[in-house]
């Protein structure tokens, strides 16, 4: 039976790089979902590859027609998961990964209770800020918004089925592989690290 994984993380936590590596080295028939969004296209993004870029009117039409499995507003833009694609993959025994915010993840769990929700923590808010500055893709105001949003994401992500931390790429990818490919829990020491980091992050 095919499996559905939903991965969420605050922006800058390294989610995209981890997912890319996971897909490149996957032994399973694993595919990444492509979402619809009303956000403007960034340079280097390709319509139909990064996202399906929609106008607000087109997006509203999709919601009205029941074409989206979930949708949420993130940083003032709308995002949603196309229903048809997900249903097709699941009926063809393909495992899928969806990269959603916490609101979308929770809606997916309501639709698909067997979905595995995975949350990726950054090592600290300071590290998150440094990564956002370094990737040089958002304005200063946007970075501030993303940091404020990160706290909301972390608060909600702490109750996901699995929480991992991207303190070190190799260790984080190993944790993801254990969950996705081996259906195992992450090692106890990694669970302890997550627990400590969570309490620190939520205290800040
Ligand atoms: P970005 O604009 O940086 O690509 O993504 C911003 C946020 O939107 C990220 O947290 C990402 O996970 C989330 N996101 C992307 N696609 C979807 C979607 O289809 N549904 C929901 N709920 N969130 C999404």
């Amino acid at each position: 039976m095919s499996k559905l994984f939903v991965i969420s993380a605050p922006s800058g936590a390294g989610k995209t790089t981890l997912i890319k590596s996971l897909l490149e080295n996957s032994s399973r028939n694993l595919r990444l979902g492509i979402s619809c969004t009303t956000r403007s296209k960034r340079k280097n993004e390709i319509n139909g590859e990064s996202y399906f870029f929609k106008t607000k009117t087109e997006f509203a039409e999709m919601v009205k027609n029941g074409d989206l499995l979930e949708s949420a507003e993130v940083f003032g833009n709308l995002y949603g998961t196309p229903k048809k694609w997900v249903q097709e993959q699941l009926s063809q025994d393909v495992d899928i990964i969806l990269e959603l915010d916490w609101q979308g993840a929770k809606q997916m769990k309501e639709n698909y209770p067997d979905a595995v929700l995975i949350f990726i923590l950054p090592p600290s808010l300071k590290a998150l800020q440094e990564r956002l500055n370094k990737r040089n893709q958002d304005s200063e105001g946007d970075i501030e918004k993303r940091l404020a949003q990160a706290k909301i994401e972390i608060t909600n992500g702490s109750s996901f089925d699995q929480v991992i931390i991207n303190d070190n790429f190799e260790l984080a990818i190993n944790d993801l592989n254990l969950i996705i490919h081996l259906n195992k829990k992450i090692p106890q020491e990694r669970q302890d690290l997550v627990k400590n980091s969570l309490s620190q992050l939520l205290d800040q």
Side-chain angles (χ1 to χ4, degrees), residues 171-188:
L171 295 175
I173 201 76
N174 188 51
D175 289 344
L176 269 183
N177 275 320
L178 283 172
I179 297 166
I180 293 181
H181 291 115
L182 300 173
N183 195 19
K184 281 193 177 166
K185 283 195 174 162
I186 62 172
Q188 188 60 47

Side-chain angles (χ1 to χ4, degrees), residues 84-199:
K84 192 162 163 257
W85 184 84
V86 170
Q87 289 178 340
E88 273 170 11
Q89 308 305 313
L90 294 179
S91 70
Q92 288 165 21
D93 256 4
V94 173
D95 295 325
I96 53 182
I97 294 189
L98 299 176
E99 215 187 307
L100 312 178
D101 87 312
W102 67 271
Q103 306 168 85
K106 292 198 171 176
Q107 290 171 50
M108 286 305 295
K109 189 80 175 176
E110 280 163 24
N111 286 328
Y112 294 95
D114 289 339
V116 179
L117 306 192
I118 304 167
F119 192 78
I120 303 173
L121 287 176
S124 65
L125 288 178
K126 193 164 170 277
L128 196 65
Q129 185 168 16
E130 280 167 9
R131 284 187 198 168
L132 287 172
N133 283 330
K134 221 156 115 196
R135 73 180 188 180
N136 207 15
Q137 108 189 341
D138 307 293
S139 69
E140 245 175 64
D142 275 346
I143 290 179
E144 265 173 40
K145 270 199 254 170
R146 281 171 192 265
L147 282 174
Q149 181 64 23
K151 284 193 173 183
I152 301 172
E153 292 264 350
I154 293 167
T155 306
N156 286 285
S158 61
S159 62
F160 276 24
D161 299 312
Q162 305 275 351
V163 183
I164 67 163
I165 183 164
N166 189 13
D167 54 334
N168 167 295
F169 182 78
E170 297 304 327
L171 295 175
I173 201 76
N174 188 51
D175 289 344
L176 269 183
N177 275 320
L178 283 172
I179 297 166
I180 293 181
H181 291 115
L182 300 173
N183 195 19
K184 281 193 177 166
K185 283 195 174 162
I186 62 172
Q188 188 60 47
E189 74 221 50
R190 299 286 292 160
Q191 289 185 42
D192 293 342
L193 178 64
V194 163
K195 213 168 142 200
N196 291 337
S197 303
L198 257 180
S199 63

